[in-house]
Amino acid sequence: MKHECPHCHKKTITIWNKAMAGSLTSKGTTCPECKMRSVNGIPSTIFRSVTGIALFCFAVYMLFILDSALSMSMRYLYVIIAFAVYFLLVKIFDAFFGRLVVSQWK
C-alpha cells in the first residue's frame, strides 16, 4: 500500500516513509518520482501534542507525585515503557492516518 504524493499526485510514498516523514516542522520524506518533500499534516501534529502532554503528565505523576510501594526503579521502568509506547503510537498514527502535505523545506 502506497500513499499519494501531494506534489505529483502519484502513489509513490511507502508506509514506512510516511511513518518517518514527521510532523509539519520536519524535513519530511522525498517522493521518488518528483523528488519533492512532503510531511504528515495537522492531525499528526495535534496527535503528537496531545499524546506528548499525556506522557509528560504521566512521567511527572509517576516520578514526583505517586506515593506508593513502587520502588523508584520500577517507576523509571514504567516511564521508559511509556516513552516507547508513545514513539510507537506516533509512528503508527503517522503511517496509517491523516494525509501527506507539502513540506516547508525545499
Side-chain angles (χ1 to χ4, degrees):
M1 177 180 169
K2 293 194 175 189
H3 296 276
E4 183 178 304
C5 171
H7 298 282
C8 64
H9 302 290
K10 295 181 181 173
K11 293 195 176 237
T12 57
I13 310 287
T14 64
I15 290 175
W16 178 257
N17 286 342
K18 187 174 182 297
M20 296 300 160
S23 61
L24 292 172
T25 57
S26 66
K27 286 192 176 182
T29 186
T30 305
C31 172
E33 188 75 26
C34 66
K35 308 296 187 225
M36 299 296 287
R37 294 187 178 275
S38 55
V39 295
N40 289 298
I42 292 175
S44 171
T45 304
I46 293 170
F47 184 78
R48 286 172 184 260
S49 299
V50 169
T51 54
I53 290 169
L55 174 65
F56 175 76
C57 293
F58 176 76
V60 168
Y61 176 75
M62 286 300 288
L63 297 177
F64 301 112
I65 297 172
L66 184 67
D67 188 27
S68 71
L70 281 177
S71 67
M72 208 54 181
S73 60
M74 285 302 291
R75 293 181 193 184
Y76 286 135
L77 178 64
Y78 287 152
V79 171
I80 290 170
I81 290 171
F83 270 101
V85 168
Y86 165 77
F87 180 78
L88 289 173
L89 279 177
V90 165
K91 294 304 176 190
I92 289 170
F93 185 86
D94 285 348
F96 296 106
F97 302 102
R99 62 183 178 86
L100 290 168
V101 295
V102 175
S103 174
Q104 65 183 357
W105 299 88
K106 297 294 178 197

